[in-house]
Amino acid sequence: MSILITGIAGFVGVNLAQAMLDKGLRVCGVDNLSRGNLSNMEGLLSHPLFSFRQIDMTEPNALLDACKAFFVQEALTECWHLAANSDIPAGVSNPEVDLKDTFMTTHCLLDVMKQLGMKKLAFASSSAIYGDHGSTALVEHMGPLQPISNYGAMKLASEAAISAAAESFLDKAWIFRFPNVVGVPATHGVMLDFVRKLKQTPERLQVLGDGSQQKGYLHVEELVDAMLFIHDCATEKRAIYNIGADDKGVTVKFIAEETVRAARPNAHIEYGLGNRGWVGDVPRFVYSIEKLKQLGWFPKLNSAQAVQKALAQIVAQEQDN
Ligand SMILES: NC(=O)c1ccc[n+]([C@@H]2O[C@H](COP(=O)([O-])OP(=O)(O)OC[C@H]3O[C@@H](n4cnc5c(N)ncnc54)[C@H](O)[C@@H]3O)[C@@H](O)[C@H]2O)c1
């Protein structure tokens, strides 16, 4: 089997690609390297079953030409679409960012898949599609879906476009609603932000918001494991699953304290005001993963353990940089 991964040079992309190669699959990847980079793919580029093209998926014909080149060796049987804008505040100040990188990447991919007869699509969606429901557990069929960021809005629009494509030409769509995912190579996120801030100002750590924001965290190794499990086991034509830890999450205060302990034990933590880090930040969300558990997948780590494991990895990553 031969698969296409978009956004392959990013955090989740390289972890997913490695897992696919470990299964003996041929992996073809595209990325414009706007947020991912070549060094993330160091372990992949020399693999005999790996091919990469640097393209912007939204440029006319760029994706079609790349896929045609991949097809020369062997037809691509399915696509895993991870390319998106991962910087939520950037999309709040400039909605064009999410229109292009979060939605148009999906639109252009569907167009190319239709032209080339590719009929299976796995999509990295997000908890951001739900909006702010406080401490009500988020279940897959709940509504109304009212995202509070352009990122969430364009993820929801992507889900809708994929659902429509499943009516016309796709045989199968997997929609994974990710929680906050942590691990390496970290390209963004609260822990990377904290570790880098402490490198710049070792004596203090400034936190966006009052630290009370509380969310679930999943380690990327478990995320990849869950995606592959859903891919293999879910029977619905449109298989929509929350993926997450089985708990109420941890606070930003917990993460700040753990980061200080791991990176700069004497640093002083300074909190901001209000329970949001930025406009579009959902201050608290709780996932229901009952559907995933019913399918037979259970997380091994809780949110606190995932954060602690990832923190050690991110501190090591940043020491090397
Ligand atoms: N990491 C998380 O916590 C998290 C949470 C929810 C959803 N997700 C989703 O999972 C996916 C992967 O996230 P990630 O953490 O690896 O982010 P990332 O930023 O590390 O990776 C995304 C990749 O997409 C690429 N990309 C963006 N626009 C592109 C374009 N126009 N053409 C080609 N490539 C483009 C970037 O260069 C980057 O390498 C994304 O769709 C993201 O929205 C991630």
Side-chain angles (χ1 to χ4, degrees):
M1 221 170 92
S2 212
I3 65 155
L4 174 71
I5 300 180
T6 74
I8 197 158
F11 163 49
V12 178
V14 295
N15 282 284
L16 178 66
Q18 191 58 59
M20 296 287 192
L21 291 170
D22 291 346
K23 283 162 76 83
L25 303 173
R26 176 176 168 245
V27 174
C28 301
V30 294
D31 201 298
N32 66 356
L33 304 184
S34 58
R35 294 173 198 88
N37 57 57
L38 286 176
S39 63
N40 287 346
M41 293 192 292
E42 225 168 62
L44 304 172
L45 288 167
S46 57
H47 196 289
L49 291 175
F50 185 77
S51 314
F52 172 70
R53 291 224 160 190
Q54 181 181 349
I55 55 148
D56 191 308
M57 293 173 64
T58 63
E59 275 172 19
N61 291 330
L63 184 60
L64 183 63
D65 292 346
C67 289
K68 281 181 176 165
F70 292 142
F71 263 69
V72 168
Q73 232 177 315
E74 190 185 7
L76 296 167
T77 41
E78 65 186 47
C79 175
W80 291 62
H81 177 36
L82 307 181
N85 164 44
S86 50
D87 182 350
I88 297 179
V92 172
S93 50
N94 178 10
E96 293 281 323
V97 173
D98 280 307
L99 176 64
K100 176 182 170 290
D101 289 340
T102 308
F103 180 71
M104 288 308 290
T105 51
T106 310
H107 173 76
C108 294
L109 175 65
L110 286 169
D111 185 39
V112 167
M113 290 181 73
K114 189 175 183 182
Q115 290 187 56
L116 297 179
M118 295 169 68
K119 293 178 183 298
K120 293 180 180 176
L121 174 60
F123 175 60
S125 190
S126 162
S127 59
I129 60 118
Y130 289 105
D132 185 357
H133 293 267
S135 49
T136 305
L138 305 175
V139 286
E140 286 86 345
H141 57 269
M142 78 189 287
L145 298 176
Q146 293 174 327
I148 61 167
S149 61
N150 289 311
Y151 168 79
M154 294 299 100
K155 282 287 183 193
L156 184 56
S158 293
E159 285 198 14
I162 292 167
S163 173
E167 201 59 22
S168 65
F169 72 94
L170 289 180
D171 284 344
K172 178 92 188 181
W174 298 268
I175 293 179
F176 309 115
R177 291 179 178 162
F178 293 1
N180 289 295
V181 188
V182 293
V184 285
T187 55
H188 59 97
V190 61
M191 282 186 262
L192 182 64
D193 187 38
F194 282 173
V195 170
R196 286 188 174 164
K197 275 182 174 166
L198 279 171
K199 222 171 168 181
Q200 277 176 352
T201 53
E203 69 289 351
R204 70 190 155 88
L205 174 62
Q206 266 184 328
V207 175
L208 298 177
D210 61 10
S212 67
Q213 305 99 303
Q214 183 164 342
K215 305 170 192 189
Y217 292 83
L218 190 72
H219 196 274
V220 68
E221 289 164 16
E222 293 219 80
L223 176 88
V224 169
D225 190 54
M227 285 195 286
L228 295 175
F229 183 87
I230 296 167
H231 174 272
D232 292 347
C233 299
T235 52
E236 313 100 295
K237 181 165 184 169
R238 297 170 182 83
I240 301 179
Y241 283 83
N242 289 343
I243 304 178
D246 198 12
D247 58 31
K248 294 193 168 152
V250 293
T251 61
V252 167
K253 181 170 184 286
F254 171 83
I255 297 174
E257 288 169 355
E258 288 296 311
T259 312
V260 163
R261 199 193 327 273
R264 300 277 173 183
N266 296 322
H268 168 67
I269 303 175
E270 291 170 5
Y271 291 99
L273 297 174
N275 68 353
R276 281 163 209 257
W278 55 84
V279 176
D281 182 23
V282 178
R284 171 180 289 256
F285 76 82
V286 182
Y287 251 172
S288 160
I289 59 160
E290 281 313 305
K291 189 177 175 195
L292 183 52
K293 289 199 294 186
Q294 296 234 329
L295 193 67
W297 189 88
F298 299 82
K300 294 185 186 72
L301 302 181
N302 61 32
S303 292
Q305 291 166 325
V307 162
Q308 282 158 340
K309 178 174 176 176
L311 249 179
Q313 294 173 317
I314 294 170
V315 169
Q317 167 186 303
E318 291 304 294
Q319 265 161 6
D320 297 343
N321 286 338

